[in-house]
Amino acid sequence: TPLLDVDDLSVEYRRGRKRTMAVRDVSFTIGEGETLGLVGESGSGKSTIGKAILGLVAAHRGTIRFAGRDITHLPRTERNALTSDIQVVYQDPYSSLDPTKPIGYTLAEPIQVHDPGPREQVAERVLAMLRRVGLGEDAATRYPAQFSGGQRQRIAVARALILSPKLVVCDEPVSALDLSIQAEVINLMAGLQRESGASFLFISHDLSIVHHISDRLVVLKDGQIVEQGDAAEIYRAP
Ligand code: ADP
Ligand code: ADP
């Protein structure tokens, strides 16, 4: 069984009388340790698919299975229990970083909630992760605003990976960064993906970025899949 199996997913937004079918009959799988790139223009439904997997929007039709288990419509407590298995990195690092808390606290918190242990062990995991994402150990006592945009995103990546999740949804994680920093963060994420063996769903509007990190690509247009296959082949095609 694939780690993630999205089968015939449709998602509809309703605002008053207005209905938008943002995602239509979308099917794909992600294998263990695989990175799937989800690309398409703005408004094509990429984020909506990510949110459906995270349980943040309801599926209108279709099924989402994680490690063989149907997670399409989970009660809140069961969904919360999935937090250690499914993590997310957003475009804005402040989505996962509290500006009022030092970095060490922000990275230790998920461990204390989902995988508690002796204080020194938790601290060592935090420091090891900070080193791995290229930040000094002194980062632990500093606050998000004291870092550059690229460093903040490294910290958000560290937070997403600190519990060794099985799946990481990355929604435009480098799109807000300077071009010169984007490749750096992509390379860091690719390295962490390989080392951790986690599966990544990598959402981006920019094929030239996403093909570097993806094994396979799904191309979306107006909520539907228009192409799906090997990343290098799709990127090379005219
Ligand atoms: P992408 O991530 O590819 O930019 P989205 O998934 O954000 O695309 O959006 C897909 C479609 O759904 C767009 O037409 C967008 O306007 C619409 N949409 C997204 N979020 C909402 C919402 N909360 N309410 C209504 N429509 C939405
Ligand atoms: P590189 O710098 O890796 O050689 P290319 O010259 O192949 O990039 O691509 C230049 C631009 O064309 C990039 O911005 C990329 O997004 C786009 N591009 C390349 N291949 C495709 C494709 N198969 N479909 C759509 N866009 C593509």
Side-chain angles (χ1 to χ4, degrees):
T1 45
L3 182 70
L4 185 77
D5 183 352
V6 174
D7 185 23
D8 217 18
L9 176 70
S10 296
V11 179
E12 185 184 63
Y13 291 108
R14 295 181 190 193
R15 268 193 189 155
R17 285 158 172 263
K18 191 165 182 283
R19 294 170 173 220
T20 311
M21 195 59 92
V23 173
R24 282 183 285 171
D25 308 325
V26 161
S27 299
F28 61 86
T29 62
I30 307 182
E32 245 171 70
E34 187 179 38
T35 297
L36 182 81
L38 184 56
V39 296
E41 287 168 17
S42 172
S44 59
K46 306 182 297 297
S47 283
T48 300
I49 292 173
K51 285 177 186 161
I53 294 165
L54 295 164
L56 302 174
V57 298
H60 176 68
R61 256 201 325 272
T63 311
I64 301 170
R65 290 186 194 84
F66 178 76
R69 173 183 178 206
D70 186 342
I71 61 160
T72 322
H73 304 283
L74 284 185
R76 183 175 295 272
T77 48
E78 287 182 48
R79 171 50 67 173
N80 288 346
L82 271 180
T83 303
S84 51
D85 285 334
I86 306 180
Q87 277 288 335
V88 58
V89 180
Y90 290 107
Q91 177 169 340
D92 179 1
Y94 279 113
S95 301
S96 34
L97 305 182
D98 182 337
T100 70
K101 299 275 167 37
I103 301 307
Y105 176 93
T106 295
L107 293 187
E109 191 202 9
I111 305 175
Q112 269 144 6
V113 172
H114 294 279
D115 190 17
R119 202 182 172 76
E120 310 78 57
Q121 249 174 49
V122 173
E124 186 40 50
R125 272 172 82 176
V126 168
L127 295 179
M129 186 52 103
L130 282 172
R131 286 192 295 266
R132 177 60 192 90
V133 301
L135 292 164
E137 296 188 352
D138 60 328
T141 55
R142 294 161 72 196
Y143 291 79
Q146 294 176 272
F147 296 90
S148 69
Q151 289 172 327
R152 263 197 297 279
Q153 196 58 299
R154 287 167 180 267
I155 297 163
V157 168
R159 187 175 202 269
L161 285 163
I162 200 146
L163 290 172
S164 304
K166 296 191 176 79
L167 175 68
V168 184
V169 175
C170 312
D171 191 350
E172 303 275 6
V174 300
S175 301
L177 302 177
D178 289 347
L179 227 47
S180 58
I181 309 291
Q182 290 191 3
E184 248 176 64
V185 174
I186 289 280
N187 289 338
L188 172 71
M189 293 180 80
L192 285 164
Q193 186 277 327
R194 278 193 301 271
E195 289 162 27
S196 68
S199 306
F200 276 24
L201 175 66
F202 201 99
I203 297 174
S204 175
H205 66 281
D206 190 345
L207 181 61
S208 67
I209 287 279
V210 81
H211 86 98
H212 290 293
I213 195 173
S214 302
D215 301 305
R216 280 187 305 124
L217 291 173
V218 165
V219 184
L220 274 189
K221 192 174 174 14
D222 298 331
Q224 290 182 294
I225 294 180
V226 290
E227 200 175 356
Q228 169 159 207
D230 180 77
E233 277 169 30
I234 289 181
Y235 187 65
R236 249 187 276 113

